[in-house]
Amino acid sequence: MIKLIVGNKGSGKTKTLIRMVNETAASSNGNVVCVEKGLQLTYDISHKVRLVDIGEYKIQGFDCLYGFLGGLMAGNYDITDVFVDATLKIGGRDMDALAAMMEKAAALAGEHKVNLIFTISADASELPESLKQYMI
C-alpha cells in the first residue's frame, strides 16, 4: 500500500511522518525503515527504526529511488513499512516521473506486502490525478 503525506513547506508533513514512524515501530512485528536525505530525524524517531541516509548512496531521480526501495525489500524480507521523507528532494520536481514511479512502487508494495509512505512537499493541486488516491 502507498500513502502520500502532501503539503507545502512548513505544513507539518515531517511531524506527521515522525508520529507515524514511531507509532508503526511500536506496533510492527517486522522491520520499519525510514529513508531521508541527511540525518535530521536521528533523535526524533525510535531506535527500533532503521534510519537510512539516502545521500550516502548518491541516489538521485525517481528511477534510482525505485531501485533503492526494491533493493531494500530484496535484502530484508522482514520489512513491513518504509517511510520516505523529502521525496521531491531525492527525485526532482517532475510530477509525471513521480506518478510513474508511484505506479511501479504501488505494484512492488502490493507484491511484497509492504507499506510505503512518502512525504511530498507540494500543493495537492500540483499532483497528477493518479496520485490523489494515495493522499492521506
Side-chain angles (χ1 to χ4, degrees):
M1 170 179 37
I2 299 260
K3 293 182 183 176
L4 302 179
I5 303 168
V6 179
N8 290 316
K9 186 174 181 174
S11 64
K13 295 177 304 302
T14 300
K15 286 183 182 181
T16 300
L17 178 91
I18 290 167
R19 180 184 48 77
M20 289 176 72
V21 167
N22 289 329
E23 287 173 358
T24 301
S27 64
S28 178
N29 291 325
N31 295 326
V32 178
V33 178
C34 183
V35 177
E36 67 169 330
K37 195 162 187 168
L39 291 174
Q40 293 83 11
L41 302 179
T42 301
Y43 301 107
D44 296 317
I45 62 171
S46 170
H47 69 281
K48 296 177 183 178
V49 177
R50 170 75 167 115
L51 182 61
V52 178
D53 177 5
I54 202 162
E56 288 183 22
Y57 302 97
K58 311 294 186 257
I59 303 298
Q60 293 180 319
F62 291 117
D63 286 338
C64 289
L65 177 57
Y66 173 77
F68 187 82
L69 294 173
L72 281 175
M73 290 178 215
N76 184 346
Y77 292 105
D78 293 331
I79 291 176
T80 58
D81 301 86
V82 178
F83 294 84
V84 180
D85 193 26
T87 305
L88 297 182
K89 284 185 181 177
I90 299 166
R93 295 205 60 90
D94 181 346
M95 295 300 174
D96 292 332
L98 172 65
M101 191 271 299
M102 288 296 172
E103 185 178 319
K104 293 191 303 186
L108 183 69
E111 290 171 19
H112 296 280
K113 296 177 180 60
V114 173
N115 297 312
L116 296 174
I117 298 92
F118 299 86
T119 63
I120 308 289
S121 201
D123 192 81
S125 65
E126 296 177 59
L127 295 180
E129 282 300 316
S130 63
L131 296 182
K132 293 188 180 178
Q133 64 181 321
Y134 302 123
M135 289 174 44
I136 56 172

